[in-house]
Amino acid sequence: QQQVKQSPQSLIVQKGGISIINCAYENTAFDYFPWYQQFPGKGPALLIAIRPDVSEKKEGRFTISFNKSAKQFSLHIMDSQPGDSATYFCAASMDSNYQLIWGAGTKLIIKP
Amino acid sequence: DTGVSQDPRHKITKRGQNVTFRCDPISEHNRLYWYRQTLGQGPEFLTYFQNEAQLEKSRLLSDRFSAERPKGSFSTLEIQRTEQGDSAMYLCASSWGRGHYEQYFGPGTRLTVT
C-alpha cells in the first residue's frame, strides 16, 4: 500500500513533442504528490506538486493531471527540449509523517 | 548559495570502516530528511528531524546507522562498520513548516565501500 508505481521506465521523445509520465498509488491516505527532476550526479529538484483537491496544475511547460478516483497522476512536459533530458520521479506523502514515497523513475531522452 | 549543502560529495572507504556525512539545510528550514538512493532507483526514506528531534526512522536504518541534528541546524549521518551494500548516494533534504511543504534536496554524498 505504500508503493508508488511509475511508468514508463524510459522514454524517448522528439524535440518539440509532449512527454508523458504516469504514476499510480494505492494508499488513499496520500495527499501530496510532487514530481522531481534529477540530472546525473545531482540531487532531485522539485518541479511541480499537486494536492488531491485539484485535477490539474500547470507551471510553464509542466502540467500535472490528477485522477483521484483512479488513484493515478501524470506529468506532461509540453514542447520538450533536449535540456529536459533527465530522470523524472513521482512521489507521494501523507499528512502523518511527510516522508516521500518515490516511484522508480523514468529516464527521459529528448532527441534534437 | 542558500541551498542545501552536503559534505563530502564523494567518499570511498573500505569495508568495516566508519564514515560520517554532514548536511547543512536551508537556514530557515526546521525539517531535515535523509534518503538513500541506489543506482537506477528512487530515493528511500531513512529518517527525519523536526528541529533537533528525530521523529521517525525507517526500518532500513539498521543499528549501524545513526543520525543527529544538534541544535536543530546541521545534521550528521554516521554509518559504522560499513558494508558493500551501503554503497549508495545519501541525500539530504530540508523543508519549512508542519505540512507538506516542498522538500529541497542537496547534491548528495556518493559512498563507495570497497
Side-chain angles (χ1 to χ4, degrees):
Chain A
Q1 264 205 327
Q2 285 289 90
Q3 282 186 318
V4 176
K5 295 182 179 179
Q6 183 172 346
S7 64
Q9 190 175 12
S10 62
L11 181 62
I12 299 174
V13 174
Q14 291 290 331
K15 179 183 174 183
I18 303 173
S19 304
I20 302 174
I21 305 170
N22 301 299
C23 283
Y25 64 97
E26 296 179 357
N27 191 339
T28 55
F30 288 142
D31 59 359
Y32 175 72
F33 303 90
W35 284 90
Y36 282 82
Q37 178 190 59
Q38 187 175 30
F39 293 104
K42 305 289 186 184
L46 178 66
L47 268 179
I48 186 171
I50 197 168
R51 301 181 191 277
D53 51 348
V54 296
S55 60
E56 186 175 282
K57 183 174 181 181
K58 183 175 181 180
E59 289 185 1
R61 297 185 293 111
F62 301 93
T63 300
I64 299 180
S65 297
F66 187 83
N67 186 330
K68 189 174 181 178
S69 61
K71 292 185 284 186
Q72 294 175 346
F73 58 109
S74 59
L75 175 70
H76 296 235
I77 305 174
M78 312 300 288
D79 187 26
S80 299
Q81 299 296 313
D84 296 331
S85 297
T87 299
Y88 291 81
F89 292 94
C90 63
S93 69
M94 61 185 83
D95 187 59
S96 59
N97 61 21
Y98 315 127
Q99 65 171 273
L100 290 171
I101 307 299
W102 297 72
T106 296
K107 186 172 183 179
L108 174 65
I109 297 172
I110 306 301
K111 286 192 144 185
Chain B
D1 185 21
T2 57
V4 178
S5 61
Q6 292 186 246
D7 184 69
R9 293 293 309 279
H10 304 275
K11 179 70 177 179
I12 300 173
T13 191
K14 292 185 177 180
R15 189 176 55 187
Q17 297 295 305
N18 299 343
V19 294
T20 300
F21 310 139
R22 177 179 169 125
C23 171
D24 286 88
I26 294 171
S27 59
E28 63 268 26
H29 285 184
N30 61 341
R31 283 180 173 259
L32 186 148
Y33 310 78
W34 285 98
Y35 292 85
R36 181 174 68 186
Q37 185 178 27
T38 53
L39 207 59
Q41 299 296 317
E44 296 173 296
F45 170 80
L46 293 178
T47 188
Y48 89 91
F49 294 83
Q50 180 164 307
N51 300 312
E52 66 275 10
Q54 188 173 18
L55 295 186
E56 187 161 341
K57 293 170 61 174
S58 165
R59 59 182 171 80
L60 294 174
L61 216 64
S62 74
D63 57 5
R64 296 185 298 106
F65 288 70
S66 63
E68 293 183 341
R69 192 183 182 198
K71 303 177 183 178
S73 56
F74 70 93
S75 176
T76 58
L77 178 68
E78 181 183 15
I79 308 174
Q80 295 182 328
R81 305 181 303 282
T82 52
E83 302 172 356
Q84 286 188 322
D86 296 332
S87 295
M89 175 80 87
Y90 289 84
L91 294 164
C92 175
S94 69
S95 70
W96 165 249
R98 298 170 57 190
H100 294 295
Y101 291 89
E102 294 85 352
Q103 292 185 26
Y104 294 92
F105 282 79
T109 294
R110 168 74 65 189
L111 173 66
T112 302
V113 181
T114 62

